[in-house]
Amino acid sequence: MKHKYIWHRTIVAALFALIIFSHARAQLAFSDSLRISLLTCSSGPDAYERFGHEGIRIQDLKATDLDVTFHYGVFSFNTPNFVYRFVKGETDYQLGALPTKYFIEDYQRRGLGMIQQTLRLDSAQAQDMVQRLLINYRPENRTYRYSYFFDNCSTRPYRLLQTVTDNSIKYDSTWVNAITLRQMVQERTGTGNWLDFGIALAVAGRSDIPTLYEEQLFLPDYLAGAVSHAEIPTQIGGSSWYQPLVIKQDTLLTMRPEIAAAIEAPDSITPTTIFTIALLLAMIIGSLEFRHRRAASKNQKSGKALLISANTFDTLFFLFLGITGCIVWFLNFFSEHPAVDHNLNCLWLLPAHVIMAFLLWFKSLRHVCQVYFGITFALVIVYVISDWISGQYCPVPFLLMLATIYYCLKIINLCGGG
């Protein structure tokens, strides 16, 4: 849904669009041949492209120079503090406008697909939509606070369409399956890969609750499906009846095979692989520590080497958990994103793990470590029970990490710190 543009090209295209629309308004109004279409763009291989994009195409068939696409998806990685603002939920996107030729060429260059759905809007509805887009495009109105699930490039065209038709469109929801927001995301990201793993760490709350029909329209493909099954009332004289909202659907671009293959390609090294190795190492070290605990008193050199290996592994693992916990806790308690709160992962991904990862080296702090990691184990149990009750998504790598925590705690208890 995020549509990245080189800024100078965006500015030139936007100025071009403004010139066109200024000329059109100077001519009193648009002609009765104004045509409105939805452009649904396919997903791409990069993370920010995975969910597709939506545009609103405006054409005046009697004014060949008027063919502009609006889309709620302009952002720049060069924005000051972009990463911090994005994580915090302060994601300010803009309504973009550019000649449709450039909009299509950009997706063609990237090898992505695009379909066009021409909408059955009467002249008044079409002109109302254009005027509203122009108002939204004013500099003081152009920027909006993006919300991945609830206010994005797909939900905005849907609400605009509802407004200009006075909510008269009849949508057929019988074709839609019961599904959660997370499951919809996984349709685009796949499961078992690093993208799915990262989203599972951060996104919780409402994402695992079955969605309402309108909530599913945050994905452009779902909006296209909803529109294709919708009907709009038509009135002629005293008669009124419903007709399909989409007059015709055209494929403007077809995704190149190599791009489709790149999207479907699995990660060469998956989270499951990494955390399986971590669990096996924890089990091996724990087993060796148990076997050599008594022997270490007789062979101090061997025992010390084993102790250093065990502590090194524990330090690295809990340092990873602690750093990850800092991010998850920040999202849960400080981010404005609506789907990252009430995250049960906060129970076991504790920021304090960063500190304890180093304190376990000190034998004098043995009691402190044992108390802290006892609390950690209790929180892991609370997480497992709470997760089972709430139904929050828990992928296989999480289970492997929880099992590794268990074996690390056994190692720490055996070593006693220091």
Side-chain angles (χ1 to χ4, degrees), residues 79-310:
T79 302
N81 302 313
F82 176 84
V83 174
Y84 171 78
R85 289 173 60 85
F86 184 85
V87 173
K88 196 174 184 296
E90 296 176 352
T91 45
D92 292 336
Y93 279 31
Q94 290 186 350
L95 170 62
L98 71 165
T100 301
K101 173 185 176 182
Y102 296 151
F103 187 83
I104 295 175
E105 283 180 352
D106 183 66
Y107 279 87
Q108 185 176 34
R109 174 182 56 81
R110 291 149 60 191
L112 304 179
M114 183 184 299
I115 65 169
Q116 174 176 275
Q117 294 171 302
T118 304
L119 304 179
R120 193 184 303 277
L121 301 180
D122 61 33
S123 179
Q125 292 168 337
Q127 294 200 35
D128 185 22
M129 177 171 285
V130 174
Q131 296 297 341
R132 290 178 183 276
L133 285 169
L134 289 174
I135 292 173
N136 287 341
Y137 194 68
R138 292 172 182 171
E140 65 271 21
N141 301 330
R142 194 175 303 170
T143 301
Y144 74 102
R145 181 55 53 87
Y146 169 88
S147 172
Y148 173 68
F149 286 122
F150 307 113
D151 195 359
N152 62 24
C153 70
S154 183
T155 61
R156 291 226 159 191
Y158 165 72
R159 291 170 189 151
L160 186 59
L161 190 58
Q162 291 295 91
T163 300
V164 301
T165 59
D166 295 323
N167 295 303
S168 62
I169 298 175
K170 184 168 65 176
Y171 290 94
D172 178 15
S173 60
T174 58
W175 66 280
V176 180
N177 295 323
I179 195 171
T180 66
L181 293 174
R182 191 188 301 277
Q183 289 168 339
M184 294 177 66
V185 170
Q186 289 176 333
E187 289 179 354
R188 302 299 180 274
T189 64
T191 57
N193 53 41
W194 287 105
L195 183 56
D196 177 55
F197 175 77
I199 293 174
L201 284 172
V203 177
R206 297 182 60 182
S207 62
D208 292 303
I209 300 174
T211 56
L212 301 174
Y213 172 70
E214 287 192 346
E215 290 178 329
Q216 298 186 9
L217 304 185
F218 81 96
L219 283 180
D221 285 351
Y222 275 71
L223 176 61
V227 168
S228 66
H229 288 81
E231 294 181 326
I232 189 169
T234 301
Q235 293 183 344
I236 299 180
S239 302
S240 177
W241 67 96
Y242 279 89
Q243 295 190 83
L245 175 59
V246 175
I247 299 174
K248 66 173 181 175
Q249 179 169 308
D250 302 298
T251 300
L252 302 184
L253 297 174
T254 302
M255 183 182 293
R256 292 204 302 262
E258 65 270 22
I259 301 299
I263 294 174
E264 296 296 329
D267 292 343
S268 55
I269 301 177
T270 67
T272 299
T273 301
I274 294 297
F275 293 111
T276 297
I277 294 174
L279 176 59
L280 291 175
L281 286 175
M283 293 173 67
I284 292 171
I285 293 174
S287 176
L288 291 176
E289 181 62 36
F290 179 78
R291 291 176 57 186
H292 292 280
R293 182 175 50 168
R294 293 182 178 178
S297 60
K298 299 178 181 180
N299 186 350
Q300 295 295 327
K301 185 176 180 180
S302 174
K304 186 174 181 179
L306 183 58
L307 176 62
I308 292 174
S309 299

